[in-house]
Amino acid sequence: QIIDGQGGTVAPALIELHAHLREPGQEVKEDLESGLAAAAAGGYGTVVSMPNTSPVVDDPATVRALIEKANRLGFARLRPAAALTRGQLGEQLAELATLKEAGAAMFTDDGRTNEDARVLRLGLEYAGSLGMVVSVHAEDASLRQGGVMNEGVVSEELGLPGNPGAAEAARVARDIEIAALTGARLHIQHLSTARALDLVREGKRRGVPVTCEVCPHHLTLTDEALRGFDAMYKVAPPLRTQVDADYLLQGLLDGTVDCLATDHAPHTRAEKEQDLLSAPFGIPSIEVAFPLLWTRFGEQLGLEKLLDLFTGGAARVMGWPEPGLEPGQPADLVVLDLNTERPVDPATFRSKAKFSPWAGQPLRGWPLLTLVNGQVAYQRQ
Ligand code: NCD
Ligand code: ZN
Ligand code: ZN
């Protein structure tokens, strides 16, 4: 079979460690079909989905059903994350060994942060004994309180309840100590502050097995975006300051940040059009992440480094084989058009969330073709 690459640049398909695909139970926001088609259109060959669904993904049968359904669809490959604890909130650990057997990629508290340090310790010990990663949302809920945006100059000016950077740093510090105690692999999700990045850097220097990801929105947007009181920009953790965003970019350059992850968090338009206090947290971005970062930071990072943050970096976090293009093997690859500028057009999104903070922005780096397991999962018309 000969496939026309349309003159683009060939790279291993991107790997997403953090997406909310909303199945089961929240299909009005997204489902496997729309979410994995969106991922393929974004250049991704593999997606780790978060378990904060209804019901929570905390049992082997659900993990198996999700993987089987995704395989039938033929878009990006699905590797579901399972909840670390039953119902994702409680004291009782989920059956991690049987979840691993069923195909769970990692264990996480994302979306329903677990407060109990002892539960995290036990979870890390158990997951670690299975060779599995625990990824954590890493926000202290009591410090976060009812904050709807970053606590700082802008939140004070706007009179909106703030969520301080300290809520993240305090939790990251605690979790790194627990990882050090257990020796098990801890992954910090959607790290958003300079302070927390310093804590990860120090943890790594000490030899603690800690990794972290950052998201496109924390690199390209700040709390200034909330001045229009638009809940499109309401996300957890919140958009921070330019100082934080610049610091995260430095973290990409110096290797403290292991990988990029979108935290693609689709909600319905009606939900996101509510006022800031009522609307849910989350920004959808899986279809624009690569073009956005290539256009904004391609020059500073270089193509090789940027691609590594989208592929090899994520694989190393998970302990997966280095992504590559093996002759004779069915390929997971993406063909990228690095040069042609096209505006972000949410109406064309495969995701059910047809809105974007970057709508209308001219970006380069759009995928032309995505192959998953040697099969066409996306081809631009
Ligand atoms: C996520 C969601 O919508 O599920 N929202 C978000 O703002 N990030 C939950 C999460 O990632 O914690
Ligand atoms: Zn989260
Ligand atoms: Zn998330």
Side-chain angles (χ1 to χ4, degrees):
Q1 188 195 7
I2 294 172
I3 298 162
D4 184 1
Q6 302 170 59
T9 299
V10 180
L14 312 183
I15 299 174
E16 167 70 283
L17 293 191
H18 188 162
H20 296 271
L21 300 185
R22 307 302 190 201
E23 206 175 317
Q26 302 164 337
E27 289 85 354
V28 61
K29 298 172 192 271
E30 195 80 289
D31 59 25
L32 289 190
E33 184 164 3
S34 60
L36 292 171
Y44 291 90
T46 301
V47 177
V48 175
S49 57
M50 289 301 123
N52 62 330
T53 47
S54 347
V56 164
V57 180
D58 63 0
D59 69 290
T62 305
V63 171
R64 272 196 211 96
L66 288 172
I67 294 172
E68 272 160 30
K69 181 165 180 192
N71 288 345
R72 282 199 302 277
L73 290 168
F75 297 118
R77 181 182 289 111
L78 182 70
R79 299 292 314 269
L84 183 65
T85 54
R86 287 244 174 249
Q88 223 182 358
L89 278 171
E91 292 270 303
Q92 196 193 344
L93 290 179
E95 287 174 28
L96 306 191
T98 52
L99 286 163
K100 179 191 174 182
E101 250 173 54
M106 57 159 77
F107 304 112
T108 184
D109 70 350
D110 192 53
R112 302 190 182 195
T113 311
N114 204 304
E115 288 310 303
D116 194 321
R118 192 176 145 275
V119 170
L120 180 63
R121 177 184 182 172
L122 293 172
L124 274 166
E125 279 168 353
Y126 188 180
S129 74
L130 300 169
M132 297 277 281
V133 176
V134 173
S135 73
V136 287
H137 175 95
E139 260 190 319
D140 182 300
S142 58
L143 281 173
R144 168 179 166 171
Q145 286 180 340
V148 299
M149 65 174 293
N150 181 56
E151 180 172 330
V153 182
V154 182
S155 71
E156 265 156 46
E157 260 184 65
L158 300 179
L160 287 168
N163 170 356
E168 178 175 86
R171 178 52 63 91
V172 167
R174 183 198 86 169
D175 291 357
I176 288 175
E177 290 310 315
I178 300 171
L181 187 64
T182 60
R185 275 149 64 209
L186 174 77
H187 180 64
I188 312 284
Q189 301 180 301
H190 48 45
L191 186 137
S192 67
T193 60
R195 184 74 195 114
L197 191 66
D198 275 339
L199 290 165
V200 169
R201 185 177 288 117
E202 191 225 23
K204 288 183 170 193
R205 224 175 260 147
R206 283 163 61 198
V208 181
V210 59
T211 55
C212 71
E213 67 189 31
V214 302
C215 304
H217 46 272
H218 291 128
L219 290 159
T220 59
L221 300 167
T222 69
D223 57 359
E224 295 288 339
L226 277 301
R227 287 194 186 279
F229 295 89
D230 185 345
M232 167 115 78
Y233 301 96
K234 180 178 177 184
V235 63
L239 302 175
R240 304 290 186 181
T241 67
Q242 193 60 52
V243 171
D244 292 294
D246 292 344
Y247 208 84
L248 296 182
L249 182 63
Q250 286 310 310
L252 298 185
L253 283 161
D254 73 18
T256 310
V257 175
D258 295 270
C259 66
L260 292 159
T262 66
D263 192 12
H264 176 72
H267 297 287
T268 65
R269 184 186 295 274
E271 285 171 315
K272 289 298 269 184
E273 279 176 354
Q274 295 173 94
D275 62 281
L276 263 178
L277 297 184
S278 325
F281 294 89
I283 294 178
S285 60
I286 205 161
E287 272 162 282
V288 299
F290 183 83
L292 180 65
L293 296 202
W294 170 242
T295 306
R296 292 284 186 88
F297 306 121
E299 241 161 69
Q300 281 126 296
L301 290 165
L303 180 59
E304 205 170 321
K305 177 68 185 165
L306 184 62
L307 279 173
D308 190 58
L309 286 161
F310 273 103
T311 58
R316 290 189 290 277
V317 166
M318 298 300 293
W320 292 343
E322 195 71 22
L325 303 171
E326 293 282 323
Q329 293 300 310
D332 273 21
L333 63 79
V334 60
V335 182
L336 299 163
D337 175 0
L338 297 175
N339 302 312
T340 313
E341 227 168 53
R342 282 169 181 258
V344 174
D345 179 6
T348 67
F349 285 175
R350 270 81 178 155
S351 170
K352 292 187 184 181
K354 298 193 193 306
F355 49 85
S356 170
W358 304 280
Q361 291 192 19
L363 302 180
R364 289 173 280 115
W366 296 100
L368 296 167
L369 173 76
T370 308
L371 289 190
V372 178
N373 203 22
Q375 304 292 315
V376 176
Y378 167 75
Q379 186 155 27
R380 200 169 74 199
Q381 297 310 312

